[in-house]
Amino acid sequence: MEKTTSNTFLYYVGITSGTPTGTPAKLCDITSYPAPFVNPEKLDISDLSSNQRKYTQGMKDLPDYEFGFIYTKNQFSTMHSMCTGANEGKVYHFFLCFGTPSVSGTTVTSDYGVFEFDASMSVSPDGGDVGSVRTGTITLYAESDVEFS
């Protein structure tokens, strides 16, 4: 259903020489996702000959994208190995899919749109409370603009 967040998926594929390679796969089941686009900064271009302020768009600051997930040892181990040791700082191509994904070659499409970007990643278990579910956070450090298809 287009109006709900159910059936939202995070896929990834490796990158070689700046080009996605391999078959995209689901990173893990996510419990939350960030807004995919950011607004550019607002620059004040007011002058003294006017009685009101004037603005123009400035640069976009690529955010750190944080995704929530339910912690399991196997899932965490897999993601942790993708961003530590020899893979520390490795860049992947990510697909945030709204709706059921369909993989073809190195691309992913879905019913209600796909947001694609390159990013390195970090993963960490979250703190806990009495009676809580163990959760974790995947942080993706964007290395490219987000493209929508």
Side-chain angles (χ1 to χ4, degrees):
M1 177 178 245
E2 188 169 3
K3 296 177 182 171
T4 69
T5 57
S6 62
N7 291 319
T8 300
F9 301 89
L10 183 59
Y11 273 59
Y12 77 99
V13 67
I15 295 179
T16 302
S17 301
T19 304
T21 56
T23 303
K26 183 167 66 170
L27 182 63
C28 71
D29 289 324
I30 56 174
T31 58
S32 63
Y33 61 89
F37 292 116
V38 295
N39 293 323
E41 63 187 335
K42 182 173 153 182
L43 301 176
D44 187 342
I45 57 167
S46 304
D47 56 52
L48 297 176
S49 63
S50 177
N51 287 330
Q52 79 181 46
R53 292 192 176 273
K54 301 174 193 168
Y55 299 95
T56 191
Q57 290 184 0
M59 297 174 61
K60 291 180 183 176
D61 187 14
L62 294 176
D64 298 341
Y65 294 109
E66 292 188 349
F67 295 81
F69 69 97
I70 303 295
Y71 176 92
T72 67
K73 182 180 178 184
N74 289 340
Q75 194 167 263
F76 178 78
S77 294
T78 299
M79 291 188 291
H80 187 61
S81 70
M82 292 173 61
C83 58
T84 57
N87 290 326
E88 186 171 347
K90 183 175 180 177
V91 176
Y92 299 90
H93 189 75
F94 289 93
F95 307 85
L96 176 59
C97 307
F98 287 1
T100 305
S102 176
V103 175
S104 177
T106 58
T107 63
V108 179
T109 58
S110 71
D111 304 332
Y112 308 115
V114 176
F115 302 88
E116 300 181 45
F117 58 97
D118 296 343
S120 59
M121 67 182 276
S122 176
V123 63
S124 177
D126 294 335
D129 294 313
V130 173
S132 296
V133 172
R134 290 192 207 298
T135 60
T137 301
I138 304 158
T139 304
L140 302 181
Y141 305 101
E143 304 255 342
S144 70
D145 287 335
V146 175
E147 301 291 331
F148 176 74
S149 60

